[in-house]
Amino acid sequence: MASVLLAPAFDELIDYLIERATPDEIMAFELSEVAQDRAAELVDRNNAGTLTPLEQIELEQMMHFEQRIMLLKAQAAGALKRQS
């Protein structure tokens, strides 16, 4: 399986957002339609077994990023709940 090469950069971005963005801004974040379409294409190709090695890396990076965003949004939701 390919390794995730950009994970540290993604983690730095997430850490930056945690420190700088408001909980409302974090909750409002959504990937662009282009990025969502690309992710869906990669998942479909992965399911079909037709990913190239570079596409496998790209998919793994997207999955890692999505996991981090979900964690960030969970933290933001908790902060919003505490504020109310």
Side-chain angles (χ1 to χ4, degrees), residues 8-74:
F10 286 143
D11 289 343
E12 287 180 21
L13 171 62
I14 298 300
D15 291 342
Y16 175 82
L17 290 174
I18 289 169
E19 294 174 9
R20 306 287 178 155
T22 68
D24 286 323
E25 291 169 332
I26 292 168
M27 294 301 293
F29 175 79
E30 294 293 332
L31 289 176
S32 69
E33 190 171 320
V34 170
Q36 290 178 32
D37 289 347
R38 178 63 176 161
E41 176 186 351
L42 290 173
V43 168
D44 289 346
R45 292 192 55 196
N46 184 57
N47 291 339
T50 60
L51 283 181
T52 67
L54 287 177
E55 289 171 330
Q56 181 66 41
I57 292 170
E58 182 182 0
L59 179 59
E60 289 175 9
Q61 290 171 345
M62 286 180 164
M63 291 170 54
H64 177 77
F65 186 72
E66 178 64 23
Q67 290 171 339
R68 294 293 302 211
I69 292 297
M70 288 175 25
L71 177 59
L72 180 59
K73 285 189 174 198

